[in-house]
Amino acid sequence: MNAATKLGAYVLGLAVVFGGALGVGNMTGPVVGEPPAEHHAAATKPTESHGGHQAEQTKNDTPGGLQVSEKGYTLNPLTTLKAGKKADFRFTVTDAGGEPVTDYQVQHDKKMHFIVVSRDLDTFQHVHPEMAADGVWSVPLTLESAGAYRAFADFAPTGGEALTLGADLLVAGDHEPKPLPEETRTSTVDGYEVKLDGDLAAGSTGKLTLTVSKDGKPVTDLEPYLGAYGHLVALRAGDLAYLHVHPDGEPGDGKTKPGPEIVFYAEAPSAGGYRLFLDFQHEGKVRTADFTLRTGPATGAPTPDAEPTGHGEHSH
């Protein structure tokens, strides 16, 4: 089978999986619940630089990132990418009238958070494009391998609510998708070790604690990155339903320590496999630790540290 035929068959298979998974996503409800009451202010406080990234999103039965168009806004990729070739990737977000949006709210120091992952959840990039006056966003982007990718635009238009829109990106060439990794709670990157404690809970809010160490010693001087000590993205295997949360507390609030622990509160929309990606900064460089978790069916009981609220918010 030649490369084009293999990729065609792979993409067709994705279409079947994605279509079925989207139906599941529509039935499972919100991606993320609110943190418990004592953590609510820190997790959802809307300020100019440290506002709840996605925190003001209203209830929506469809998990974030599954739709290319929502509430009148549409994500429009404008660039075709080639495997291993760096490109100036361009895209727009258009409004209900088809015009590019040019006015956005700042959330976690940026007007646009753009995330690109491979469909098999093996690769992850969190980048921050720049917008031209005409509403066209651009960012240098390299996708090393052929295959199918999912791009997420995470933003809030001025005067509107926060949204996460998703679009598929196809890179021509021969590609063999990788299976979802086995569950792993320890990640090593650039000499750092990050351990994950806690669980994603289907239908209820769970506590996740990420502990960072280097050379066997706890890291106690993590640096703020985009207004936080860590940024966590979780994606559901199959349809890539998008979960974006931010840690409990923030730098400079008088109580949040710069490591070694970073605490998050999050809710999974359903049982299944999830990939988690943690961005953290130390010694002037941002690094990404990755994990795989599997959740069981919802039990209806809240976790010890948090109570489910049923709200369809997701925040960063």
Side-chain angles (χ1 to χ4, degrees):
M1 185 182 293
N2 61 32
T5 303
K6 287 183 179 180
L7 181 58
Y10 173 60
V11 172
L12 177 59
L14 285 173
V16 174
V17 172
F18 180 70
L22 180 56
V24 173
N26 285 333
M27 292 187 290
T28 55
V31 177
V32 184
E34 291 183 350
E38 63 268 27
H39 302 283
H40 185 273
T44 63
K45 182 175 62 178
T47 65
E48 180 67 12
S49 60
H50 305 297
H53 185 34
Q54 299 280 0
E56 298 304 309
Q57 182 167 343
T58 60
K59 185 174 181 179
N60 187 339
D61 288 338
T62 301
L66 294 181
Q67 301 182 109
V68 71
S69 184
E70 184 178 356
K71 300 187 183 303
Y73 295 95
T74 302
L75 174 60
N76 308 282
L78 303 176
T79 304
T80 299
L81 296 165
K82 295 182 179 180
K85 301 292 186 181
K86 186 176 181 180
D88 184 24
F89 184 80
R90 302 165 68 248
F91 66 95
T92 61
V93 174
T94 51
D95 59 21
E99 295 297 320
V101 178
T102 58
D103 199 1
Y104 294 82
Q105 301 175 48
V106 172
Q107 298 190 105
H108 272 257
D109 298 344
K110 297 291 181 179
K111 293 183 177 182
M112 176 69 68
H113 295 261
F114 197 68
I115 288 137
V116 180
V117 297
S118 56
R119 270 283 180 180
D120 59 9
L121 293 175
D122 181 60
T123 68
F124 171 91
Q125 295 185 55
H126 179 178
V127 296
H128 298 96
E130 298 292 333
M131 188 188 72
D134 60 359
V136 176
W137 293 92
S138 63
V139 64
L141 188 64
T142 304
L143 300 182
E144 293 295 344
S145 303
Y149 295 79
R150 188 71 172 170
F152 300 94
D154 196 343
F155 65 94
T158 298
E161 61 190 63
L163 295 170
T164 300
L165 301 180
D168 283 336
L169 307 178
L170 301 180
V171 179
D174 193 10
H175 176 66
E176 187 73 26
K178 297 180 181 179
L180 189 71
E182 294 298 320
E183 180 165 327
T184 175
R185 293 173 173 270
T186 301
S187 179
T188 302
V189 53
D190 292 344
Y192 292 82
E193 183 180 77
V194 185
K195 292 185 177 181
L196 185 155
D197 292 310
D199 291 290
L200 280 175
S204 61
T205 303
K207 180 180 179 181
L208 301 174
T209 302
L210 286 301
T211 304
V212 184
S213 62
K214 183 181 181 183
D215 299 326
K217 299 179 181 179
V219 175
T220 58
D221 56 346
L222 290 171
E223 298 160 0
Y225 172 61
L226 301 174
Y229 288 126
H231 296 262
L232 185 67
V233 172
L235 297 164
R236 181 171 61 187
D239 63 355
L240 276 62
Y242 176 95
L243 167 64
H244 207 168
V245 298
H246 68 82
D248 179 38
E250 61 186 33
D253 64 7
K255 60 180 182 179
T256 303
K257 296 180 180 180
E261 295 184 348
I262 315 169
V263 176
F264 299 83
Y265 289 88
E267 180 182 337
S270 69
Y274 290 81
R275 286 281 283 162
L276 283 69
F277 301 92
L278 172 73
D279 288 334
F280 65 96
Q281 180 168 298
H282 188 243
E283 297 181 347
K285 183 178 178 180
V286 177
R287 297 166 175 86
T288 301
D290 60 282
F291 310 87
T292 304
L293 289 183
R294 298 183 185 276
T295 69
T299 62
T303 58
D305 295 284
E307 296 181 358
T309 63
H311 292 293
E313 299 177 351
H314 51 266
S315 58
H316 170 65

